[in-house]
Coordinates of all heavy atoms in Angstrom, one line a residue:
S1 N 119.1 -33.8 54.4 CA 118.6 -32.6 55.0 C 119.2 -32.4 56.5 O 119.6 -31.2 56.8 CB 117.1 -32.5 55.1 OG 116.6 -32.6 53.8
F2 N 119.2 -33.5 57.2 CA 119.6 -33.4 58.6 C 121.1 -33.0 58.6 O 121.6 -32.3 59.4 CB 119.4 -34.6 59.4 CG 119.7 -34.5 60.8 CD1 118.8 -33.8 61.7 CD2 120.9 -35.0 61.3 CE1 119.2 -33.7 63.0 CE2 121.2 -34.9 62.7 CZ 120.3 -34.2 63.5
V3 N 121.9 -33.7 57.8 CA 123.4 -33.5 57.8 C 123.6 -32.0 57.3 O 124.4 -31.4 57.9 CB 124.1 -34.5 56.8 CG1 125.5 -34.1 56.5 CG2 124.0 -35.9 57.3
L4 N 122.9 -31.5 56.3 CA 123.2 -30.2 55.9 C 122.7 -29.2 57.0 O 123.4 -28.2 57.2 CB 122.3 -29.9 54.6 CG 122.8 -30.6 53.4 CD1 121.8 -30.4 52.2 CD2 124.2 -30.1 53.0
S5 N 121.7 -29.5 57.7 CA 121.3 -28.7 58.8 C 122.3 -28.7 59.9 O 122.6 -27.6 60.5 CB 119.9 -29.2 59.4 OG 118.9 -29.2 58.6
G6 N 122.9 -29.8 60.2 CA 124.0 -29.9 61.2 C 125.2 -29.1 60.8 O 125.8 -28.3 61.6
I7 N 125.5 -29.1 59.5 CA 126.6 -28.3 58.9 C 126.3 -26.8 59.1 O 127.2 -26.0 59.5 CB 126.9 -28.7 57.5 CG1 127.5 -30.1 57.4 CG2 127.9 -27.7 56.8 CD1 127.6 -30.7 56.0
V8 N 125.1 -26.4 58.8 CA 124.7 -25.0 59.0 C 124.9 -24.5 60.4 O 125.5 -23.5 60.6 CB 123.2 -24.8 58.4 CG1 122.7 -23.4 58.8 CG2 123.2 -25.0 56.9
I9 N 124.3 -25.3 61.3 CA 124.3 -24.9 62.7 C 125.8 -24.9 63.2 O 126.2 -24.0 63.9 CB 123.5 -25.9 63.5 CG1 122.0 -25.8 63.1 CG2 123.6 -25.6 65.0 CD1 121.3 -24.5 63.3
G10 N 126.6 -25.9 62.8 CA 128.0 -26.0 63.1 C 128.7 -24.8 62.6 O 129.6 -24.2 63.3
S11 N 128.5 -24.4 61.4 CA 129.1 -23.2 60.8 C 128.8 -21.9 61.5 O 129.6 -21.1 61.7 CB 128.8 -23.1 59.3 OG 129.2 -24.2 58.6
I12 N 127.5 -21.7 61.8 CA 127.1 -20.6 62.6 C 127.8 -20.5 63.9 O 128.3 -19.4 64.4 CB 125.5 -20.6 62.8 CG1 124.9 -20.4 61.4 CG2 125.1 -19.4 63.7 CD1 123.4 -20.5 61.4
S13 N 127.8 -21.7 64.6 CA 128.5 -21.7 65.9 C 129.9 -21.4 65.8 O 130.4 -20.6 66.6 CB 128.3 -23.2 66.5 OG 127.0 -23.5 66.7
Q14 N 130.6 -21.9 64.8 CA 132.0 -21.5 64.6 C 132.2 -20.0 64.3 O 133.2 -19.5 64.8 CB 132.6 -22.4 63.5 CG 132.8 -23.8 63.7 CD 133.8 -24.1 64.8 OE1 134.7 -23.2 65.2 NE2 133.8 -25.3 65.4
G15 N 131.3 -19.5 63.6 CA 131.4 -18.0 63.3 C 131.2 -17.2 64.6 O 132.0 -16.3 64.8
V16 N 130.2 -17.6 65.5 CA 130.1 -16.9 66.7 C 131.3 -17.1 67.6 O 131.7 -16.1 68.3 CB 128.8 -17.4 67.4 CG1 128.6 -16.7 68.8 CG2 127.5 -17.1 66.6
I17 N 131.9 -18.3 67.6 CA 133.0 -18.6 68.4 C 134.2 -17.7 68.0 O 134.9 -17.1 68.8 CB 133.5 -20.1 68.3 CG1 132.4 -20.9 69.0 CG2 134.8 -20.3 68.9 CD1 132.5 -22.5 68.8
M18 N 134.4 -17.5 66.7 CA 135.5 -16.7 66.2 C 135.3 -15.2 66.7 O 136.2 -14.6 67.0 CB 135.6 -16.8 64.7 CG 136.2 -18.0 64.1 SD 136.5 -18.0 62.4 CE 134.9 -18.3 61.8
F19 N 134.0 -14.8 66.7 CA 133.7 -13.4 67.1 C 134.1 -13.3 68.6 O 134.6 -12.3 69.0 CB 132.3 -13.0 66.8 CG 131.9 -11.7 67.4 CD1 132.3 -10.6 66.9 CD2 131.1 -11.7 68.6 CE1 132.0 -9.3 67.4 CE2 130.7 -10.4 69.1 CZ 131.2 -9.3 68.6
L20 N 133.6 -14.3 69.4 CA 133.9 -14.3 70.8 C 135.4 -14.3 71.1 O 135.9 -13.6 72.1 CB 133.2 -15.4 71.5 CG 131.7 -15.5 71.5 CD1 131.1 -16.8 72.2 CD2 131.1 -14.2 72.2
K21 N 136.2 -15.0 70.3 CA 137.6 -15.1 70.5 C 138.2 -13.7 70.2 O 139.2 -13.2 70.8 CB 138.2 -16.1 69.5 CG 138.1 -17.5 70.0 CD 138.8 -18.5 69.0 CE 138.6 -19.9 69.4 NZ 139.3 -20.9 68.4
Y22 N 137.6 -13.0 69.2 CA 138.1 -11.7 68.8 C 137.9 -10.6 69.9 O 138.8 -9.8 70.2 CB 137.3 -11.2 67.6 CG 137.6 -9.8 67.1 CD1 138.9 -9.5 66.4 CD2 136.8 -8.7 67.3 CE1 139.2 -8.2 66.0 CE2 137.1 -7.5 66.9 CZ 138.3 -7.2 66.3 OH 138.6 -5.9 65.9
I23 N 136.8 -10.8 70.7 CA 136.5 -9.8 71.8 C 137.1 -10.2 73.1 O 137.0 -9.5 74.1 CB 135.0 -9.5 71.9 CG1 134.3 -10.7 72.3 CG2 134.5 -8.9 70.6 CD1 132.8 -10.4 72.6
A24 N 137.5 -11.5 73.2 CA 138.0 -12.0 74.5 C 139.3 -11.4 74.9 O 140.1 -10.9 74.1 CB 138.2 -13.5 74.3
D25 N 139.5 -11.4 76.2 CA 140.8 -11.0 76.8 C 141.9 -11.9 76.4 O 141.8 -13.2 76.7 CB 140.7 -11.0 78.3 CG 141.9 -10.5 79.0 OD1 142.9 -10.3 78.3 OD2 142.0 -10.5 80.2
P26 N 142.9 -11.5 75.6 CA 143.9 -12.4 75.1 C 144.7 -13.2 76.2 O 145.1 -14.3 75.9 CB 144.9 -11.5 74.3 CG 144.1 -10.3 74.0 CD 143.1 -10.1 75.1
E27 N 144.9 -12.6 77.3 CA 145.7 -13.2 78.3 C 144.9 -14.3 79.1 O 145.6 -15.3 79.6 CB 146.3 -12.2 79.3 CG 147.2 -11.2 78.6 CD 147.9 -10.2 79.7 OE1 147.5 -10.4 80.9 OE2 148.6 -9.4 79.2
R28 N 143.6 -14.1 79.4 CA 142.9 -15.0 80.2 C 141.8 -15.8 79.4 O 141.9 -17.0 79.3 CB 142.3 -14.3 81.4 CG 143.2 -13.7 82.4 CD 142.5 -13.1 83.6 NE 141.5 -12.1 83.2 CZ 140.2 -12.3 83.2 NH1 139.7 -13.6 83.6 NH2 139.4 -11.4 82.9
Q29 N 140.9 -15.1 78.9 CA 139.7 -15.7 78.3 C 140.0 -16.5 77.0 O 139.6 -17.6 76.8 CB 138.6 -14.7 78.1 CG 138.1 -14.0 79.4 CD 137.2 -12.9 79.1 OE1 137.3 -12.2 78.1 NE2 136.2 -12.7 80.0
L30 N 140.8 -15.9 76.1 CA 141.1 -16.5 74.9 C 142.0 -17.8 75.1 O 141.7 -18.8 74.5 CB 142.0 -15.5 74.0 CG 142.4 -16.1 72.6 CD1 141.1 -16.4 71.8 CD2 143.2 -15.0 71.9

């Protein structure tokens, strides 16, 4: 259960990171 919970939280974090990369300034922030 804990490993699956970690995978869920990790996947959500990665999804948010991908969105933040999408809206980031390509020259500086990205």
Side-chain angles (χ1 to χ4, degrees):
S1 296
F2 186 78
V3 171
L4 289 173
S5 299
I7 292 170
V8 169
I9 298 300
S11 299
I12 293 171
S13 298
Q14 287 295 342
V16 177
I17 290 167
M18 284 189 284
F19 174 74
L20 294 178
K21 286 180 179 179
Y22 176 74
I23 65 173
D25 178 359
E27 293 184 3
R28 295 185 303 106
Q29 296 172 328
L30 182 59

